[in-house]
Amino acid sequence: MSIPIKIAGIGFQVPEAVITNNDLTKIIDTSDEWIKTRTGIERRHVLSGNETAVEMGIKAAKKAIEKSKIDTDKIDYIIAAASVETHAYPSTACEIQAAIGAMNAACFDITAACSGLIYGMGIARALIKSETAKTVLIVATDAVSRCLDWTDRTTCVLFGDGAGAMLLTVSDDNQDDILAVSLKSEGQYGDYIKMPFSGKNCPLVTPNDEEKMFIKMDGKEVYKYVVTKLPGYIEECVEKSGLKLNEIDYLVPHQANMRIIEALEKRLEFKSENVISNIKDYANTSAASIPIALTEAIQSGKIKLPCSAILTGFGAGMTVGTTVVRLREGIA
Ligand code: ACO
């Protein structure tokens, strides 16, 4: 018998500092109107001073754990979906482990960019279904503001910082909250979004050029890729779930561009009030965008529990992750 999984708690954290579109006009040639019309973004939260992505992840994780009412020593794995901010190791997951005291957990990071939460859910689900783990914490935390060229108006206006967390455990009432997961990777489109890290040759063999480590993105190609491929991938996952699209209550997409969200809404024939979007206030927070949108919508009453939902994300790789879930009362 397949082991049923419960989504037991979710939470999110964003930094205090907020940058509006008008603030950005002080450092680049842009306008509130251009950014709003092309993307739907009005403001974003960014880390300042010595704040880190790990600290945001810890706070988000503590909120998810508190909602789940599960002791931290019951956590068997911590999976962090995190893009490199300051160092490659120790892993973000290990740093979160130490801070929350989940000392029985095995910890590792995954790199799936904005699809990170869904990839983490896919791995966690496999760990639980195979009886390798009973309880898994997934933390998606990204400090994208630290990887941006703040003189490049084509990328720096699009992103913000944030973290989200989700705790999965064996269900105690036989309801399986994760009905289907579908993960796709298409490495042939890897050039669409890139973030270099400082792998350098030994200077005795090859002199090194000074390379800046900024996100580079071909926005038009990403846009085309997503609107062409994502709807079909979502439909495939919904079919695996055993539900029909019109039986699913909410669509919670990755918050990358309002026009992409509206295109999905139209193509999948969702009512706009059932499509969750908070890109206006947070911009694209990479792996954290889905858990932030989901938690905030539950807390504000926009998502009414219990319900079913599609969570779907896409990002560098290219990677795409979709899941169909049931959401219980009291998780956020
Ligand atoms: N302010 C003012 N003008 C700008 C800005 C800006 N911030 N950025 C670009 N422009 C200009 C361009 O220079 C160009 O001017 P030109 O016509 O004189 O050359 C004009 O605006 C149009 O630029 P486009 O790139 O054609 O604008 P487009 O309509 O394609 O919108 C955008 C760009 C918003 C990036 C869009 O392509 C998009 O959202 N793509 C998807 C991005 C995405 O989803 N990324 C996910 C990342 S997930 C991850 O894993 C990191």
Side-chain angles (χ1 to χ4, degrees):
M1 197 197 82
S2 172
I3 294 175
I5 295 172
K6 174 176 168 179
I7 299 175
I10 54 176
F12 80 98
Q13 181 71 33
V14 288
E16 221 168 274
V18 174
I19 307 284
T20 64
N21 292 346
N22 277 329
D23 292 332
L24 286 172
T25 62
K26 294 176 199 151
I27 55 170
I28 47 166
D29 178 16
T30 191
S31 66
D32 178 47
E33 206 260 329
W34 191 98
I35 302 171
K36 257 197 318 218
T37 323
R38 304 277 175 140
T39 69
I41 298 164
E42 294 182 17
R43 59 189 73 81
R44 69 284 293 142
H45 293 249
V46 293
L47 293 168
S48 49
N50 297 324
E51 292 173 340
T52 66
V54 171
E55 285 165 6
M56 287 192 296
I58 292 164
K59 287 181 181 155
K62 284 183 174 168
K63 289 176 186 172
I65 293 164
E66 195 186 319
K67 281 289 166 190
S68 75
K69 302 189 179 67
I70 290 171
D71 291 338
T72 49
D73 59 7
K74 294 275 190 290
I75 298 172
D76 300 310
Y77 281 84
I78 300 175
I79 303 170
S83 302
V84 173
E85 181 205 344
T86 54
H87 55 273
Y89 44 78
S91 68
T92 297
C94 279
E95 292 185 295
I96 291 171
Q97 174 195 31
I100 65 174
M103 299 327 287
N104 296 321
C107 306
F108 62 95
D109 292 357
I110 55 171
T111 304
C114 308
S115 313
L117 178 92
I118 313 296
Y119 269 65
M121 289 176 72
I123 297 165
R125 181 181 190 237
L127 288 168
I128 296 174
K129 296 258 182 223
S130 64
E131 299 185 53
T132 308
K134 285 200 165 77
T135 301
V136 182
L137 173 67
I138 307 151
V139 185
T141 183
D142 266 324
V144 189
S145 73
R146 298 249 167 86
C147 311
L148 291 171
D149 175 355
W150 287 97
T151 65
D152 173 10
R153 67 178 184 174
T154 66
T155 52
C156 76
V157 303
L158 302 173
F159 296 94
D161 298 330
M166 178 181 281
L167 200 101
L168 301 180
T169 192
V170 174
S171 181
D172 42 19
D173 60 6
N174 268 332
Q175 177 181 302
D176 201 340
D177 292 351
I178 304 184
L179 302 180
V181 179
S182 169
L183 307 178
K184 306 274 181 192
S185 301
E186 293 183 279
Q188 67 272 35
Y189 305 118
D191 283 343
Y192 290 176
I193 313 170
K194 286 194 141 180
M195 190 179 77
F197 198 53
S198 68
K200 292 213 158 109
N201 284 314
C202 165
L204 295 174
V205 290
T206 314
N208 288 300
D209 295 332
E210 258 322 301
E211 193 189 6
K212 293 274 185 287
M213 298 183 300
F214 297 134
I215 291 176
K216 290 255 175 260
M217 182 175 71
D218 186 334
K220 270 198 196 319
E221 288 302 332
V222 175
Y223 193 95
K224 272 195 278 177
Y225 173 92
V226 176
V227 294
T228 319
K229 299 216 170 198
L230 191 57
Y233 290 160
I234 294 173
E235 282 162 351
E236 206 179 295
C237 185
V238 169
E239 200 173 320
K240 279 205 289 184
S241 77
L243 295 180
K244 299 239 166 3
L245 251 179
N246 62 10
E247 294 172 326
I248 300 175
D249 299 315
Y250 298 99
L251 175 65
V252 187
H254 171 45
Q255 307 289 307
N257 185 310
M258 199 56 214
R259 289 186 297 166
I260 292 178
I261 296 172
E262 283 165 359
L264 279 180
E265 175 186 313
K266 206 162 154 209
R267 166 71 202 273
L268 300 173
E269 296 180 7
F270 264 82
K271 288 193 200 131
S272 63
E273 63 266 33
N274 291 1
V275 178
I276 304 307
S277 173
N278 63 2
I279 191 169
K280 178 165 86 63
D281 295 323
Y282 298 97
N284 178 349
T285 54
S286 191
S289 98
I290 294 172
I292 294 175
L294 179 63
T295 312
E296 198 187 56
I298 293 172
Q299 289 173 347
S300 70
K302 180 150 196 208
I303 287 184
K304 302 207 177 358
L305 301 176
C307 67
S308 54
I310 298 169
L311 317 182
T312 186
F314 56 87
M318 293 295 289
T319 58
V320 178
T322 304
T323 180
V324 178
V325 294
R326 290 191 196 284
L327 302 167
R328 303 162 187 249
E329 282 169 15
I331 61 169

